[in-house]
């Protein structure tokens, strides 16, 4: 039994989820996560009477307008406010509401954000009035120029700082995007997109020389942004790390990247920056594949079915990069690309309802501890405004876990999620643990039905990474019920089904090994472990894969326990493992 204790370790469901999908905690951004005390009071005087399970549009507008007033008062209380700034905002109610609601107290320098917006106003007040969403995007990004610098450097690796040019002036960038002459070659008019998308053009870090070069060489291809990624030659020497990159110590700019080539992060930089030149929000995405390899690809907005949609290029499926992370230039944090896609879906369906959802959720967060009933009702109304706002779901999950939301209502909301968010399985899995708690553990048939429903959703979305996580969670539940043999069978069957997912199945094998020893089923299960190992890709590139070696070690341990020394020695040699 010593072997079984050595090879396994028990981790929580959410630790497994983080390890498999993100390499860390899930990051949720765009002003919804307030870690420090929120400076904006969640409620105005007497507003409790407006809050119910289902509020009408009049009540929601009243709450939203009142929140904007409180935000303005709170943010300007101890700040130096530019002369005439508040009066100007009052004359521009859409800009005023958008600006105060967009600010993130944990991430934005409120005073500097006001200064940026005021500088834009002094430069061209009419342009700010027309392109107010773009102006807000500039304010929440350029309140800290370091955000633009970090956005520029993300995914690139070890390129000396001296190889980058100086950051542009944000006023020049704003003039570029609001110039009607330039908009002739834009894929999107800046006044047709909302600020959560526009932060990914506001962070444009290019020199005028690069912009002019991009227009000259790519204007005729501007609708084919996905092809930009492959235009660069791949620098195999840089990838191997054993020779000087072809770029050498040359300036890191678009012209030199096309001339000298680079690796995936450089390709993502090249494509995303060209996208921005043509008025298209573009971003670099990075993630880890099923074999453990790191990769970067490009994300950009494309019009599909008359709606802007986040799409990707360079997301190679040989290593199955199921999820990636995007740098948010407002918060200087990273957000899961799948969650960003969901957020954008809500933004693009109806911006006003998205904005209402943001405000109602912020209020719900502020009331979560002391007035959970009101908080739950606000979160519920936020979702009725916009089903695609992740933080609102997070609030409801919290209230489901602490029983502030009664079990029947929690189950009803979970049913809504499974119906409305089938295309967004990551949020389903993130909320799973909280919602499933509302189903009593002795209601096994009902709980099993939820497992079956979610399994079908994950299969339809082709997400074996999440199916593995679900199998781990379900197997743990079976073990807790005392159904350890079915749990072992589930781990082994899932590992065999998804053996091609390489490193992702290793937690399944660890769980199975533990139960194999506990149930004394070593000889009975060895054939299953052998079938699994045969399906794991033994090589990644020209090297034997780490996943294959680790799975082989587990099987060798079983061979040794079963007294099958010859098989253990043979497999050790095949897997190139030392004694």
């Amino acid at each position: 039994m010593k072997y079984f204790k050595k090879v396994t370790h028990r981790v929580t469901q959410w630790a497994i989820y983080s390890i498999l999908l993100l390499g860390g905690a899930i990051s949720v951004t765009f002003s919804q996560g307030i870690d420090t005390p929120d400076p904006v009071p969640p409620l105005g005087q007497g507003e409790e009477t407006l809050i119910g399970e289902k509020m009408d549009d009049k009540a929601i507008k009243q709450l939203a307008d009142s929140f904007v007033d409180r935000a303005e008062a709170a943010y300007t209380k101890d700040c130096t406010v530019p002369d005439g700034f508040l009066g100007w905002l009052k004359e521009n109610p859409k800009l005023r509401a958008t600006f105060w609601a967009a600010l993130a107290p944990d991430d934005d320098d409120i005073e500097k954000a006001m200064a940026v917006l005021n500088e834009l106003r002094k430069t061209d007040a009419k342009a700010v009035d027309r392109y107010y969403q773009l102006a807000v995007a500039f304010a929440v990004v350029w309140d800290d120029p370091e955000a633009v610098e970090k956005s520029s450097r993300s995914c690139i690796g070890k390129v000396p700082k001296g190889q980058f040019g100086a950051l542009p002036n944000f006023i020049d960038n704003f003039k570029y995007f609001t110039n009607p002459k330039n908009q002739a070659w834009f894929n999107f008019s800046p006044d047709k997109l909302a600020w959560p998308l526009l932060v990914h053009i506001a962070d444009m870090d290019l020199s005028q020389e690069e912009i002019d070069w991009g227009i000259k060489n790519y204007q005729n291809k501007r609708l084919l942004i996905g092809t930009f990624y492959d235009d660069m030659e791949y620098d195999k020497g840089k990838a191997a790390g054993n020779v000087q990159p072809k770029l050498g110590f040359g300036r890191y700019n678009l012209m030199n990247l096309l001339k000298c080539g680079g690796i995936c992060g450089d390709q993502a930089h090249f494509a995303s920056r060209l996208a921005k030149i043509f008025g298209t929000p573009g971003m670099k995405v990075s993630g880890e594949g099923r074999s453990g390899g790191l990769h970067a690809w490009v994300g950009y907005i494309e019009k599909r079915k008359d709606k802007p949609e986040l799409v990707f290029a360079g997301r190679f499926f040989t290593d199955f990069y199921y999820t990636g992370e995007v740098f948010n230039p407002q918060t200087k944090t990273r957000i899961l690309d799948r969650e960003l896609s969901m957020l954008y879906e809500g933004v693009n369906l109806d911006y006003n309802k998205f904005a209402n959802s943001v405000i109602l959720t912020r209020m719900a967060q502020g009331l979560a501890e002391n007035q959970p009933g009101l908080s739950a009702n606000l979160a519920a109304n936020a979702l009725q405004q916009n089903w695609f706002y992740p933080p609102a779901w997070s609030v409801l999950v919290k209230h489901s876990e602490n029983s502030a939301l009664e079990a029947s209502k929690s189950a009803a909301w979970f049913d809504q999620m499974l119906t409305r968010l089938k295309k967004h399985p990551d949020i389903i899995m993130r909320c799973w643990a909280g919602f499933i708690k509302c189903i009593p553990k002795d209601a096994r048939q009902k709980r099993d039905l939820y497992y079956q429903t979610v399994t079908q959703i994950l299969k339809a979305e082709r997400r074996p990474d999440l199916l593995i996580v679900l199998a781990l969670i379900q197997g743990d539940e079976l073990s807790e019920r005392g159904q350890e043999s079915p749990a072992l069978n589930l781990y082994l069957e899932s590992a065999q089904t998804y053996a091609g997912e390489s490193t992702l199945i290793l937690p399944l094998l660890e769980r199975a090994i533990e139960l194999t020893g506990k149930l004394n089923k070593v000889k009975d299960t060895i054939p299953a472990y052998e079938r699994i190992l045969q399906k794991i890709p033994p090589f990644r590139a020209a090297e034997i894969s780490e996943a294959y070696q680790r799975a082989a070690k587990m099987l060798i341990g079983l061979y040794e326990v079963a007294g099958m020394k010859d098989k253990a020695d043979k497999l050790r040699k095949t897997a190139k493992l030392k004694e």
Side-chain angles (χ1 to χ4, degrees):
M1 297 297 291
K2 186 176 180 181
Y3 163 71
F4 299 101
K5 292 180 181 178
K6 179 176 70 174
V7 79
T8 63
H9 58 276
R10 179 71 65 173
V11 291
T12 67
Q13 294 171 357
W14 291 114
I16 292 168
Y17 184 47
S18 296
I19 290 165
L20 288 179
L21 300 182
L22 305 178
I26 293 173
S27 172
V28 181
T29 56
F30 282 112
S31 308
Q32 63 268 35
I34 309 297
D35 296 326
T36 56
D38 194 335
V40 183
L43 281 179
Q45 187 173 3
E47 289 183 348
E48 295 93 336
T49 59
L50 295 174
I51 301 171
E53 289 189 17
K54 186 167 179 58
M55 296 184 290
D56 60 25
D57 292 343
K58 182 179 179 181
I60 290 172
K61 185 178 187 307
Q62 186 173 338
L63 288 173
D65 290 346
S66 176
F67 180 88
V68 169
D69 292 341
R70 294 196 304 278
E72 182 177 82
Y75 291 150
T76 58
K77 181 180 179 182
D78 299 314
C79 286
T80 300
V81 182
D83 290 342
F85 183 76
L86 296 182
W88 170 65
L89 284 183
K90 190 174 182 180
E91 294 172 358
N92 295 271
K94 288 184 179 180
L95 169 62
R96 176 176 179 266
T98 303
F99 176 63
W100 294 125
L103 292 170
D106 283 343
D107 307 302
D108 286 313
D109 186 319
I110 308 296
E111 191 167 313
K112 289 183 179 178
M114 286 193 289
V116 169
L117 190 58
N118 193 56
E119 285 299 311
L120 296 178
R121 162 207 171 196
K122 290 194 299 182
T123 300
D124 191 340
K126 289 184 178 179
V128 173
D129 186 29
R130 177 177 176 181
Y131 302 101
Y132 69 93
Q133 294 276 358
L134 180 65
V136 169
F138 267 78
V140 299
V141 170
W142 284 93
D143 63 321
D144 183 4
E146 184 184 347
V148 182
E149 187 173 314
K150 286 186 174 181
S151 175
S152 182
R153 308 291 193 272
S154 69
C155 300
I156 288 176
K158 298 179 180 179
V159 177
K161 189 174 182 179
Q163 287 186 246
F164 293 91
L167 290 179
N169 182 289
F170 71 85
I171 293 177
D172 290 338
N173 275 5
F174 187 76
K175 287 180 178 178
Y176 172 79
F177 288 116
T178 57
N179 187 331
K181 178 183 175 181
N182 297 337
Q183 291 174 10
W185 53 72
F186 285 5
N187 293 333
F188 294 95
S189 175
D191 61 350
K192 302 300 182 185
L193 297 176
W195 73 264
L197 286 76
L198 291 169
V199 294
H200 290 287
I201 65 169
D203 67 344
M204 187 170 74
D205 47 17
L206 303 175
S207 66
Q208 188 61 50
E209 181 185 11
E210 289 176 282
I211 294 171
D212 293 341
W213 178 89
I215 294 168
K216 178 181 178 181
N217 290 277
Y218 279 88
Q219 182 178 350
N220 292 334
K221 295 177 63 178
R222 65 185 185 275
L223 297 176
L224 303 173
I225 288 171
T227 66
F228 298 171
Y229 184 92
D230 292 321
D231 279 358
M232 281 178 55
E233 180 183 352
Y234 194 77
D235 187 346
K236 294 180 180 179
K238 181 177 179 179
N242 54 13
V243 298
Q244 174 81 8
K246 293 179 181 179
L247 177 63
F249 294 102
R251 178 70 70 188
Y252 195 92
N253 58 29
L254 298 184
M255 298 78 81
N256 284 340
L257 286 175
L258 186 63
K259 178 181 177 181
C260 302
I263 58 175
C264 58
D266 305 311
Q267 291 173 296
H269 181 89
F270 181 80
S272 63
R273 271 51 199 167
L274 281 172
K276 296 175 197 291
I277 289 174
F278 298 110
T280 301
M283 62 209 72
K284 293 176 273 189
V285 193
S286 59
E288 187 172 345
R290 63 182 184 181
S291 297
L294 297 176
H295 180 53
W297 56 96
V298 63
Y300 59 98
I301 300 300
E302 185 173 273
K303 185 176 287 188
R304 294 189 175 181
K305 297 181 180 179
D306 293 326
K307 293 285 185 182
E309 184 177 326
L310 181 59
V311 297
F312 306 96
R315 188 179 199 144
F316 302 137
F317 287 100
T318 51
D319 247 347
F320 290 82
Y321 297 93
Y322 294 112
T323 61
E325 291 183 333
V326 175
F327 180 80
N328 181 344
Q330 178 192 12
T331 63
K332 299 186 289 292
T333 59
R334 296 185 178 277
I335 183 171
L336 196 69
D337 60 344
R338 304 280 187 172
E339 199 155 314
L340 191 61
S341 293
M342 174 179 162
L343 185 83
Y344 283 176
E345 185 170 348
V347 172
N348 294 327
L349 280 174
D350 188 319
Y351 175 77
N352 290 329
K353 288 187 175 181
F354 165 80
N356 288 339
S357 183
V358 171
I359 289 173
L360 293 175
T361 301
R362 179 98 167 259
M363 294 171 66
Q365 290 169 328
L367 296 171
E369 296 298 328
N370 298 323
Q371 294 177 279
L374 288 179
S375 174
N377 281 340
L378 284 165
N381 280 276
L383 288 173
Q384 289 162 13
Q385 289 287 299
N386 174 12
W387 296 101
F388 302 97
Y389 192 52
W393 285 108
S394 296
V395 174
L396 277 187
V397 168
K398 179 177 181 178
H399 291 315
S400 178
E401 290 178 316
N402 62 23
S403 301
L405 192 66
E406 58 189 73
S408 60
K409 291 181 180 178
S410 294
W413 278 107
F414 195 29
D415 290 340
Q416 288 274 20
M417 170 176 273
L418 298 180
T419 299
R420 295 178 181 275
L421 301 182
K422 289 180 179 180
K423 299 294 183 182
H424 300 284
D426 296 273
I427 189 70
I428 290 173
M429 289 303 297
R430 185 155 72 83
C431 295
W432 169 271
F435 277 135
I436 200 66
K437 284 184 179 179
C438 71
I439 311 299
K441 288 192 174 182
D442 57 2
R444 296 183 179 182
Q445 187 174 359
K446 189 172 183 179
R447 290 175 72 92
D448 289 345
L449 183 60
Y450 275 111
Y451 277 107
Q452 293 170 21
T453 301
V454 175
T455 295
Q456 292 307 311
I457 289 172
L458 300 182
K459 284 182 176 179
E461 290 302 305
R462 299 181 181 180
R463 292 296 299 275
D465 56 329
L466 296 180
L467 283 160
I468 289 167
V469 174
L470 190 65
L472 287 163
I473 297 172
Q474 187 173 15
D476 283 355
E477 182 169 327
L478 289 171
S479 293
E480 290 170 5
R481 294 179 187 175
Q483 296 176 276
E484 292 176 324
S485 287
L488 175 58
N489 290 337
L490 176 62
Y491 295 143
L492 291 174
E493 289 171 4
S494 298
Q496 184 168 336
T497 300
Y498 305 114
E501 301 304 315
S502 198
T503 55
L504 300 187
I505 70 159
L506 293 176
L508 288 168
L509 292 179
E510 291 175 352
R511 288 286 206 279
I513 288 286
E514 182 179 356
L515 287 181
T516 295
K518 185 176 181 180
L519 299 173
N520 196 24
K521 289 190 174 184
V522 174
K523 289 188 176 180
D524 293 341
T525 56
I526 279 178
Y529 287 100
E530 290 174 333
R531 289 192 295 271
I532 292 167
L533 186 62
Q534 289 172 1
K535 290 187 173 184
I536 295 176
F539 294 96
R540 185 173 187 272
E543 301 292 329
I544 193 160
S545 77
E546 179 188 358
Y548 184 86
Q549 287 186 317
R550 288 175 61 185
K553 280 184 181 179
M554 295 184 204
L555 182 51
I556 288 168
L558 295 179
Y559 282 150
E560 290 174 342
V561 170
M564 300 176 179
K565 187 177 183 304
D566 290 345
K567 281 196 167 188
D569 291 342
K570 183 178 180 181
L571 180 54
R572 190 176 286 111
K573 185 177 180 181
T574 301
K576 298 182 180 180
L577 295 168
K578 296 179 181 179
E579 288 284 350

